[in-house]
Amino acid sequence: MDDLAPLSQLLERTKVRDIAADQQDIVSLQHNNTVGEALRQLAAARVLSAPVVVSSGLEDFENGGLPPGDAAPSLLGWLDVSDVVRAFLGHLHEKKVALPKSMLQLMALLEKEGPDFADKMLVTIVGGEDRGLLYQADAGTSVIAAIQG
């Protein structure tokens, strides 16, 4: 066990900010983006999923909160491209639209219904069940405390 003592000491004195500072920016989506905006942002970043956050807004500032942009965003959940596909199928189901068996008819349906669905607010299709998947630690927390957390 003494062989691990130097590693344990290193993890104790190393802070999360020390190892996270050089990482690339994390792609995050705003809750009030449209589905279309979110898909474009995911495509531009070449990723299939991203956290959806609620940032502090002007109304929070007016109610005595921090100025917009100063408060850390709250995690609403995660959005994956497969969530968008499921939500689109749900959108079609709500409209009682049957899925065609022909690829050409399916493409025509997508062209017809896609723009309306793409204008939906992202918050309407994101579930909150993924909130626990993102560990939110203070950047000053030691790495060992974050691992044990």
Side-chain angles (χ1 to χ4, degrees), residues 59-107:
E59 63 278 359
D60 297 326
F61 179 61
E62 290 171 348
N63 294 327
L66 293 170
D70 283 0
S74 299
L75 179 66
L76 183 62
W78 286 80
L79 178 80
D80 186 272
V81 172
S82 64
D83 297 326
V84 175
V85 172
R86 273 191 292 282
F88 181 67
L89 292 174
H91 170 80
L92 295 177
H93 182 74
E94 285 174 10
K95 295 181 89 171
K96 300 190 182 340
V97 175
L99 288 178
K101 302 213 184 300
S102 157
M103 183 58 81
L104 289 175
Q105 291 173 332
L106 187 58
M107 289 170 53

Side-chain angles (χ1 to χ4, degrees), residues 6-78:
L7 178 60
S8 179
Q9 291 170 356
L10 175 65
L11 293 176
E12 183 66 41
R13 69 175 179 265
T14 303
K15 305 299 179 204
V16 172
R17 76 168 82 70
D18 298 336
I19 60 174
D22 294 335
Q23 301 299 316
Q24 72 179 34
D25 290 335
I26 295 174
V27 174
S28 63
L29 306 167
Q30 294 295 319
H31 75 286
N32 57 355
N33 284 12
T34 65
V35 172
E37 291 168 338
L39 288 174
R40 282 189 290 279
Q41 191 174 350
L42 291 174
R46 306 184 108 202
V47 296
L48 297 176
S49 64
V52 179
V53 298
V54 178
S55 296
S56 63
L58 188 56
E59 63 278 359
D60 297 326
F61 179 61
E62 290 171 348
N63 294 327
L66 293 170
D70 283 0
S74 299
L75 179 66
L76 183 62
W78 286 80

